[in-house]
Amino acid sequence: MAVELCLLLLLFCGSTISEVQPIYKPPPGTLDFGFVPAKTYDTGAYHEPGAIGILFKIVHAFLYLVQPNSFPQDLIRKLAQQQFGNSQGDYQKPENVVLTLQAIYYEIGFIVSAALGLLFILLLPLVGLCFCMCRCCDNCGGEMHQRQKKNADCQRSCFATFLFVASLIISVGVLCAYAANQHLTNQVRGAKKLVNSNFKDLKIFLNDTPAQIDYLVSQYNTTKDKALSDLNNVGPVLGTRVQEQLGKEVRPALDAALTMAGAIRETKEALENVSVSVEVLQEGTERLHANLTDVKVHLSNTLSDSACNAAQAASTCNIIRNSLSQLNINANFSGLPGVNSQLAKVNDVLKIDLSSLVQKGYAAFNDTPDLVVNQTRNILSAVPYIKSVLESIGSNITTFTKMLPVQNIIADLMVYLTQSEAYVQDYFPVMEQYDFYRWLGCLILCCMVVLILVFYYLGLLCGTCGYDKHASPTTRGCISNTGGNFLMAGVGFSFLFSWVLMVVVVLTFVTGGNVEKLVCEPFEDKNLFKVLDTPYLLNQHWKNYLAGIIFKNPNVNLTFEKVYSDCKENKGIYTSLHLEHLFNINELLNISMYTEDVALRIEHIQINLSKIILLDEIGKENLLNFSSSGIDGIDFSAYLTEINKSVTKVDLLSFANDLEARADQLPKGALENALKGHANNIRMIHNQQVVPLEQAMSTLNQSIRLLKRTSSELMVKVKNVISAVNAAQNLINNNASQVIVQETKEYMDTIIGYFEQYIEWVKESIAMEVAACKPIANVIDTAVDIFLCSYIADSVNTFWFGLGGSSMFLIPAIIFAVKLSKYYRRMDTEDVYDDTENGNNGYHKEHLYGIHNPVFTSSVEQW
């Protein structure tokens, strides 16, 4: 019931959508409740402007130059809280004057820029009017007369170059303005898709929320089934836990006893090997000694032959005769003590099968789960009652779910959402129509600039192509004259249009620039939310406005910034809106009432394990008998001394090979053949007698070393094994109750832990997955960051930036165009110079053609 109450509350908190990301992944050994069902949402609250983003960054940099001050949080708070206009003297109060001055100081960059724009708007038409009237009076370059100067070509080229550069800059500006205008129109047309995706996600959320609630409630069955399963298997489960706990001491003790039983068998085998090996070595060395003696006698007889007296054989025979003393045995095994008494005692020990006794201990200990099963049948009798309690809890949750008006709330929200969507859909064509009018108006403004540029470019083209430097000002060609007229037409239209352009620039600059600095930038760094979170700002009686709206308690610390940040991180609405102040889930999700009966039933478990016998007294006595078998009294040093010796003093194979080699040094004959025969005989003795003796010595060596290791501190080892077995037996007999109580408590905690896991999972799901409010942040981002800032503000700011730059460069373009037109247009009169004084320079003198020049004597230099 408590769980369902918490889930229902989420539906009353508002219509939100959630792009749920599964976050719960249970670690091994815990209940797996799976993932809360969720669908994928289409809305992506992110805008990438593309190539025009470079222009946006340039405009942002320009705005920073105009307004480098940081966001005035304190100033806005004071202005919002200060009341103006209630009485005649409000504006004259010192605090209001200070606030006004602070606002002016913050806006000084915009104020100065706007003032310059207003000055442009006022002065440029006035200057144009004066310029027009002046030219009508044949002044200000209006008179069709041009004075000739030596640097005329240089001036003409400079004026043309400057005008061309100014025209290029104006062209770039109008292109920026056109691109921004078109970008805004494209984004407005594409905004419908983004809005539709938001509405689609809202519908998915409304349809998906009941399924999420049902899933959380249904997972109670997972907890209930796991608890009942463990209760039905309380004997095996609890018995296994008790066995594992006791086994930490019991199993090592039994393993040590079983190892000792194996050591007894190995000792018997080693003693038998020692006894047999000694007997074999004693007999073999005696037989080997006799055979070597015979070999020496026969060799002596052979060396006594007269052939050895010959000069060639005497030295060889003497060497062989001197080496005969090496043919003798080296190891003497006849004096080694026997091990028959120790073997007899070990055989007596083995009459009792110690391994079988240890295995009985293992079997008895492995019956622990069965003993626990037999002694916990009272728990099984309580399982039906516990099951009925758990079933009643689930039934109450289901019943309460059906009583809640979830579907009614969803239906109402769906109707509201459908109406909102229909309103937006109906409003979109109107918005697109108004955007078309806006686009057309901006296009007309751009066309004004383009018209001026066309005249300037045509004037430069015609003037440059048609100009003839050999022609006098009065005889210039038609093309050149047309170029000059185009330039003056561009000047005229510049005066006519420039103030209109600047009016639009000033209005959009002040509006768009302040939107960027006071809305977009503080929204990005969340300073705007900090202003909204100012106590008593939106409502002079509420400390926290959002908490007052939701909880009717303005003292709750709930801020716009925290809600937005939490929703941006896709946290649940319960966490984001701090709904614990309205509905404390920790108090309602109290499982003590559900687990009290289970705990009372389990606490009465009584288990007796005294029937388990790990090792009886016979087995212990058997171990003591083995420790007193006398194997530690064996003279291991005597054995090892003889074992480490070689069987013979000399290697018989080497002696035989050496004998045969010396025989080859003798002259061919009977002596040589006899010595080689003795060499073969020595080899045969080595293969038939020495090799078996060496194998017997190796076996004796292994057995003696095994006995030495086994006998080392044998009594201590046996006593340690018996002590370990006694300690384990004492644990079972005397302290098993404590282990059982401990394991029973842990078992009870495990059962209760299933419910705790469910509750924690529900809490985490409610906090992070159910009604996750990232779409709220997406809606805010879509409205402010994308629509207002990225679509509108950036485009408008780029538009006035381009159009304003073009308008400003119309001023130098006007000056250069007026100056340059004098060099392209056909003049009515020109200066006349004396040929002998100044030369003709390619110009005709007017008096030659009978043309009267009234300005010849004028001292005023005309344009």
Side-chain angles (χ1 to χ4, degrees):
M1 182 180 299
V3 175
E4 192 59 31
L5 284 174
C6 178
L7 299 176
L8 177 64
L9 177 64
L10 301 178
L11 298 178
F12 288 97
C13 295
S15 58
T16 60
I17 62 175
S18 73
E19 185 176 351
V20 179
Q21 300 293 334
I23 62 169
Y24 179 78
K25 186 175 181 180
T30 61
L31 295 179
D32 185 3
F33 298 107
F35 300 118
V36 177
K39 294 182 180 179
T40 304
Y41 297 97
D42 298 333
T43 302
Y46 176 75
H47 173 66
E48 180 61 42
I52 200 173
I54 300 175
L55 294 178
F56 293 166
K57 293 180 180 179
I58 295 175
V59 174
H60 292 166
F62 177 78
L63 286 175
Y64 179 78
L65 293 176
V66 174
Q67 176 54 283
N69 300 321
S70 59
F71 181 64
Q73 297 184 34
D74 295 335
L75 177 61
I76 292 178
R77 291 191 184 101
K78 293 177 181 178
L79 289 173
Q81 293 174 342
Q82 192 69 33
Q83 296 181 356
F84 293 93
N86 291 340
S87 63
Q88 186 74 21
D90 282 346
Y91 294 99
Q92 298 178 358
K93 291 181 180 180
E95 59 272 18
N96 292 340
V97 173
V98 172
L99 289 177
T100 303
L101 293 177
Q102 289 178 348
I104 293 175
Y105 175 76
Y106 176 78
E107 291 284 340
I108 190 65
F110 287 105
I111 293 175
V112 172
S113 300
L116 293 176
L118 292 176
L119 190 65
F120 183 96
I121 294 170
L122 295 175
L123 292 183
L124 203 64
L126 184 61
V127 170
L129 179 62
C130 296
F131 180 74
C132 180
M133 295 175 63
C134 183
R135 288 182 66 87
C136 289
C137 297
D138 289 338
N139 293 316
C140 304
E143 184 180 7
M144 302 300 290
H145 173 80
Q146 184 179 17
R147 297 194 63 181
Q148 304 301 323
K149 297 181 180 180
K150 294 182 179 180
N151 60 346
D153 290 339
C154 179
Q155 287 185 350
R156 176 181 54 79
S157 300
C158 290
F159 290 149
T161 302
F162 291 151
L163 179 61
F164 181 72
V165 172
S167 299
L168 285 180
I169 296 175
I170 296 172
S171 301
V172 173
V174 75
L175 287 176
C176 292
Y178 176 78
N181 182 42
Q182 191 64 38
H183 178 266
L184 178 56
T185 298
N186 294 338
Q187 298 307 321
V188 170
R189 292 175 181 174
K192 187 175 183 179
K193 180 179 179 181
L194 183 59
V195 173
N196 290 337
S197 70
N198 278 281
F199 280 110
K200 179 182 177 181
D201 292 345
L202 285 169
K203 292 180 179 179
I204 291 176
F205 166 75
L206 292 178
N207 294 325
D208 199 36
T209 300
Q212 292 179 331
I213 297 175
D214 294 339
Y215 181 81
L216 292 184
V217 175
S218 66
Q219 288 305 304
Y220 173 78
N221 293 328
T222 301
T223 305
K224 179 191 68 177
D225 294 341
K226 180 60 176 175
L228 291 176
S229 174
D230 283 4
L231 288 174
N232 288 327
N233 297 282
V234 61
V237 174
L238 183 57
T240 301
R241 294 170 68 103
V242 172
Q243 185 184 36
E244 290 177 355
Q245 188 66 25
L246 294 175
K248 295 178 181 179
E249 293 192 25
V250 172
R251 294 191 184 279
L254 291 177
D255 291 342
L258 189 62
T259 301
M260 191 59 68
I264 295 174
R265 290 192 299 272
E266 292 177 354
T267 300
K268 176 194 173 183
E269 294 175 358
L271 290 172
E272 290 177 346
N273 290 335
V274 169
S275 180
V276 173
S277 297
V278 169
E279 184 178 352
V280 170
L281 289 172
Q282 289 176 349
E283 295 178 357
T285 53
E286 290 178 1
R287 187 167 55 253
L288 177 61
H289 178 69
N291 291 333
L292 291 178
T293 301
D294 292 342
V295 169
K296 287 193 293 183
V297 172
H298 293 147
L299 271 173
S300 298
N301 295 333
T302 302
L303 294 175
S304 299
D305 190 87
S306 58
C308 284
N309 296 327
Q312 297 179 349
S315 60
T316 301
C317 291
N318 288 332
I319 293 173
I320 295 173
R321 189 178 297 109
N322 292 332
S323 64
L324 292 180
S325 60
Q326 297 177 356
L327 293 176
N328 203 348
I329 61 175
N330 189 32
N332 184 13
F333 299 98
S334 59
L336 294 178
V339 293
N340 292 329
S341 61
Q342 290 87 350
L343 180 59
K345 291 180 181 180
V346 172
N347 286 330
D348 290 339
V349 171
L350 287 174
K351 290 179 180 179
I352 297 175
D353 191 353
L354 181 60
S355 297
S356 177
L357 296 178
V358 175
Q359 292 297 336
K360 288 181 180 180
Y362 275 117
F365 181 70
N366 291 334
D367 290 338
T368 301
D370 294 335
L371 293 175
V372 176
V373 169
N374 295 331
Q375 298 180 47
T376 55
R377 297 191 184 277
N378 60 326
I379 298 298
L380 297 177
S381 63
V383 169
Y385 171 73
I386 297 174
K387 183 176 181 180
S388 65
V389 172
L390 299 179
E391 291 289 353
S392 65
I393 296 172
S395 178
N396 291 338
I397 293 176
T398 304
T399 303
F400 192 79
T401 303
K402 295 179 180 180
M403 294 174 59
L404 296 175
V406 176
Q407 296 300 329
N408 294 334
I409 297 174
I410 295 295
D412 293 341
L413 292 176
M414 187 64 73
V415 170
Y416 177 78
L417 182 62
T418 303
Q419 292 175 350
S420 301
E421 185 178 13
Y423 174 80
V424 172
Q425 296 296 338
D426 294 340
Y427 181 74
F428 248 108
V430 178
M431 185 183 68
E432 290 179 349
Q433 186 68 29
Y434 282 121
D435 179 71
F436 172 74
Y437 295 149
R438 179 207 57 77
W439 174 83
L440 186 60
C442 294
L443 184 63
I444 292 174
L445 294 175
C446 293
C447 290
M448 291 180 180
V449 181
V450 171
L451 179 62
I452 296 172
L453 287 173
V454 168
F455 283 126
Y456 283 159
Y457 283 129
L458 287 176
L460 287 171
L461 179 64
C462 295
T464 302
C465 295
Y467 182 78
D468 184 4
K469 65 180 180 179
H470 299 291
S472 67
T474 56
T475 61
R476 287 171 182 159
C478 180
I479 297 177
S480 176
N481 185 60
T482 302
N485 292 334
F486 276 136
L487 293 179
M488 293 307 298
V491 171
F493 281 111
S494 296
F495 282 118
L496 288 176
F497 296 155
S498 59
W499 69 274
V500 178
L501 299 176
M502 188 55 66
V503 168
V504 176
V505 169
V506 171
L507 293 177
T508 54
F509 165 72
V510 174
T511 303
N514 279 286
V515 169
E516 175 66 28
K517 301 300 290 188
L518 296 177
V519 178
C520 298
E521 290 185 2
F523 175 81
E524 185 176 358
D525 56 20
K526 300 181 182 178
N527 285 326
L528 188 61
F529 294 105
K530 295 179 181 178
V531 174
L532 295 176
D533 292 329
T534 303
Y536 310 106
L537 179 68
L538 301 179
N539 189 318
Q540 60 181 351
H541 301 294
W542 286 357
K543 180 179 179 181
N544 295 298
Y545 181 79
L546 190 59
I549 291 293
I550 297 177
F551 305 122
K552 305 302 180 183
N553 182 8
N555 294 321
V556 175
N557 187 21
L558 182 66
T559 62
F560 288 99
E561 181 186 6
K562 187 65 168 61
V563 172
Y564 176 78
S565 299
D566 289 344
C567 290
K568 195 76 173 177
E569 296 174 4
N570 201 30
K571 293 182 179 179
I573 196 73
Y574 184 88
T575 301
S576 301
L577 295 182
H578 296 278
L579 297 182
E580 66 271 9
H581 296 284
L582 187 64
F583 180 83
N584 195 334
I585 190 174
N586 293 322
E587 294 179 359
L588 295 176
L589 296 180
N590 189 348
I591 65 171
S592 60
M593 64 182 72
Y594 305 148
T595 59
E596 183 177 356
D597 290 333
V598 177
L600 290 175
R601 298 285 178 172
I602 296 178
E603 285 177 356
H604 294 294
I605 293 178
Q606 297 294 333
I607 302 174
N608 186 4
L609 302 179
S610 60
K611 294 181 180 180
I612 298 176
I613 304 297
L614 299 180
L615 186 62
D616 57 18
E617 295 300 326
I618 297 176
K620 298 175 185 177
E621 184 178 357
N622 189 259
L623 287 173
L624 292 174
N625 291 335
F626 173 63
S627 64
S628 59
S629 61
I631 61 173
D632 53 345
I634 298 175
D635 189 0
F636 296 106
S637 60
Y639 279 92
L640 294 175
T641 300
E642 297 301 325
I643 290 172
N644 292 330
K645 296 179 180 179
S646 59
V647 178
T648 57
K649 292 183 178 181
V650 68
D651 184 10
L652 295 184
L653 287 179
S654 299
F655 187 88
N657 294 333
D658 185 62
L659 180 61
E660 190 171 22
R662 296 192 181 280
D664 290 335
Q665 297 175 3
L666 298 175
K668 301 294 183 180
L671 180 59
E672 177 190 5
N673 294 332
L675 291 176
K676 289 184 178 181
H678 291 306
N680 291 330
N681 188 25
I682 292 172
R683 291 193 186 96
M684 183 177 62
I685 292 173
H686 177 271
N687 294 330
Q688 294 180 355
Q689 297 182 32
V690 174
V691 173
L693 289 176
E694 289 177 346
Q695 295 174 353
M697 289 175 66
S698 176
T699 302
L700 179 61
N701 183 36
Q702 296 176 3
S703 300
I704 286 297
R705 295 187 182 279
L706 174 62
L707 291 173
K708 185 178 181 181
R709 287 196 303 271
T710 304
S711 64
S712 176
E713 297 182 354
L714 179 60
M715 181 62 70
V716 176
K717 294 178 181 177
V718 170
K719 288 182 178 180
N720 289 340
V721 171
I722 295 175
S723 297
V725 173
N726 289 336
Q729 187 68 56
N730 183 63
L731 175 64
I732 293 174
N733 294 339
N734 301 324
N735 299 327
S737 58
Q738 298 178 0
V739 175
I740 293 170
V741 169
Q742 179 183 353
E743 293 301 320
T744 301
K745 184 178 182 303
E746 292 183 2
Y747 178 75
M748 180 184 67
D749 292 341
T750 300
I751 298 296
I752 297 176
Y754 296 147
F755 295 96
E756 292 177 345
Q757 288 182 46
Y758 174 70
I759 296 303
E760 290 300 322
W761 175 74
V762 170
K763 291 179 182 178
E764 185 176 1
S765 298
I766 290 174
M768 301 302 296
E769 297 185 57
V770 176
C773 63
K774 184 177 182 181
I776 295 179
N778 287 343
V779 169
I780 297 174
D781 290 340
T782 300
V784 179
D785 187 44
I786 296 180
F787 283 170
L788 178 61
C789 296
S790 297
Y791 289 180
I792 299 177
D794 283 344
S795 299
V796 170
N797 288 333
T798 304
F799 179 79
W800 64 250
F801 181 76
L803 197 63
S806 299
S807 300
M808 293 301 297
F809 276 90
L810 285 177
I811 295 176
I814 290 174
I815 297 173
F816 295 137
V818 171
K819 290 286 188 180
L820 185 62
S821 65
K822 272 289 187 179
Y823 294 93
Y824 291 158
R825 297 178 69 188
R826 185 184 299 118
M827 299 289 103
D828 292 337
T829 62
E830 64 181 59
D831 290 339
V832 177
Y833 299 98
D834 182 59
D835 288 339
T836 60
E837 181 180 354
N838 296 320
N840 196 6
N841 292 327
Y843 294 112
H844 297 281
K845 297 178 181 177
E846 297 182 20
H847 69 278
L848 296 178
Y849 298 92
I851 300 175
H852 175 67
N853 187 355
V855 195
F856 178 74
T857 60
S858 175
S859 61
V860 181
E861 180 178 352
Q862 305 294 333
W863 284 7

